[in-house]
Amino acid sequence: DLMSDDQSSLPRELREKYLLTRRIGTGVCGEVRLAFQRSTCRKVAVKIINKKNFQSEGMATRNATTEIEILQRVDHPCLIKTEDFYQTDDSYYIVLELMEGGELFHRVKSQQQLQENVAKLYFYQMLSAVQYLHSNGIIHRDLKPENILLSSQEDVCLIKVTDFNQSRILEESVLMRTLCGTPSYLAPEVFTQASTTGYSLAVDAWSLGVLLFVCLGGYPPFHESFGDKSVTDQIILGEFTMVPSKWRHVSDQAKDVVRRLLVVDPSKRMSIEAALQHAWLQDQGMLETAHRLMYPPGEDAAAVSMQEAPSGGPSKRKRGDGDEED
Ligand SMILES: C/C(=N\O)c1ccc(O)cc1O
């Protein structure tokens, strides 16, 4: 295995371009390793998805290709970018940008609960990322603290959503096509089922409510240790408890966002768009910080300096031998 530095099981091209080292994350679908791009010594993350992990071949292929398709198609500052992709008979290898701050899960755990303004900064970035996914017809479906990564060890940092393994691309559904044809021979449940479809995006809003609850409260809203109901029953009933000692210092506006997202009826649940307009997030200081992190001015400047120097002005270019020339 890789721990004995035996990299022979890796695709040759991957081995030639990257040096894989220690494990930095684990998931249901495999593991994530820290790797170094040999040519630049830059650090990256390599996610290894073991094809056998999924119960059926079809499932594995669909999930992984969906994940890879989505990873290569999306472009948002709060979504993890794919850099490279390889596969062997039994595994997929996805090279991803490295997030030095690790998983949000560990940050919340180590700090008991986040300060409200830090939770707000992270939550705003998550909302922006999910709003972008939804505007591109993509539902994440597996938003949880393990899938939110932090760019640095600092509280004020960029966050990125990862693990689109469970994502689904919203395609025209069979039901949509069915409702276009003649209804004469359709069973009633085809229509009554229609009243519940179209809310699939709302599943991500619920998950963001759970994520915000965990960031603010430091513990999950639904858990087997609370009361006598199963976690599933607590969720179905929408029964969560804000333990006073943990929530006393949290603002009413923040609690209001959580309460409007953890609504059982998806048609009554606050949407992502509505959450972005909520009073709690109309915080200019936070918004300026978030936009500075998401759209750092330096990146544009770098792009400018790559352009031809303005005509007439001496253009200083370094030759291979380090001399400047006009
Ligand atoms: C999946 C991933 N990056 O893309 C990642 C996962 C875990 C971790 O600690 C750091 C990371 O960068």
Side-chain angles (χ1 to χ4, degrees), residues 31-44:
E31 59 176 3
V32 180
R33 286 186 176 275
L34 174 64
F36 295 82
Q37 187 179 23
R38 294 181 190 275
S39 56
T40 59
C41 284
R42 194 169 54 91
K43 289 192 273 190
V44 292

Side-chain angles (χ1 to χ4, degrees), residues 74-302:
V74 294
D75 178 19
H76 186 277
C78 298
L79 290 176
I80 280 286
K81 283 187 180 49
T82 332
E83 303 201 0
D84 240 336
F85 166 66
Y86 304 89
Q87 66 175 303
T88 59
D89 291 347
D90 55 10
S91 298
Y92 293 104
Y93 299 84
I94 312 174
V95 181
L96 300 157
E97 54 187 315
L98 179 72
M99 296 293 277
E100 305 276 359
E103 297 171 6
L104 173 65
F105 178 81
H106 298 122
R107 182 70 60 89
V108 175
K109 203 170 160 194
S110 63
Q111 296 192 8
Q112 279 71 45
Q113 59 198 110
L114 301 183
Q115 298 158 46
E116 181 166 330
N117 62 334
V118 172
K120 188 190 289 188
L121 176 67
Y122 294 174
F123 184 65
Y124 173 77
Q125 295 180 71
M126 292 178 221
L127 275 177
S128 306
V130 174
Q131 179 194 40
Y132 171 89
L133 286 176
H134 288 185
S135 62
N136 284 276
I138 298 164
I139 320 168
H140 189 285
R141 301 198 337 158
D142 193 22
L143 292 165
K144 54 189 177 187
E146 298 86 329
N147 289 342
I148 307 294
L149 301 173
L150 302 165
S151 60
S152 83
Q153 297 297 342
E154 304 295 321
D155 281 347
V156 174
C157 70
L158 186 64
I159 67 106
K160 291 185 189 252
V161 175
T162 187
D163 206 344
F164 303 86
N165 203 18
Q166 304 303 328
S167 329
R168 285 294 168 275
I169 298 174
L170 261 186
E171 276 132 0
E172 187 182 81
S173 68
V174 170
L175 178 65
M176 288 178 196
R177 277 192 293 280
T178 307
L179 296 178
C180 292
T182 166
S184 313
Y185 304 94
L186 287 180
E189 62 271 22
V190 171
F191 302 104
T192 49
Q193 177 205 9
S195 64
T196 61
T197 56
Y199 288 110
S200 46
L201 294 181
V203 300
D204 284 342
W206 173 276
S207 302
L208 285 169
V210 176
L211 267 164
L212 181 57
F213 187 107
V214 168
C215 288
L216 290 169
Y219 67 95
F222 310 105
H223 193 268
E224 61 259 5
S225 64
F226 304 150
D228 54 355
K229 293 192 181 73
S230 69
V231 176
T232 310
D233 286 349
Q234 293 172 43
I235 292 169
I236 287 168
L237 295 166
E239 279 184 11
F240 56 87
T241 309
M242 290 182 173
V243 173
S245 61
K246 288 282 190 177
W247 287 83
R248 180 173 303 120
H249 307 295
V250 179
S251 70
D252 290 345
Q253 282 189 349
K255 289 175 191 161
D256 186 65
V257 175
V258 173
R259 290 191 181 108
R260 289 179 189 276
L261 288 171
L262 294 184
V263 168
V264 173
D265 181 345
S267 68
K268 295 187 175 56
R269 192 176 305 155
M270 181 163 66
S271 68
I272 304 292
E273 296 298 339
L276 281 162
Q277 299 308 316
H278 191 283
W280 188 54
L281 292 170
Q282 307 320 304
D283 169 345
Q284 287 320 309
M286 179 281 287
L287 292 170
E288 275 159 29
T289 304
H291 291 142
R292 174 171 51 79
L293 291 165
M294 291 161 71
Y295 307 102
E299 270 172 13
D300 305 328

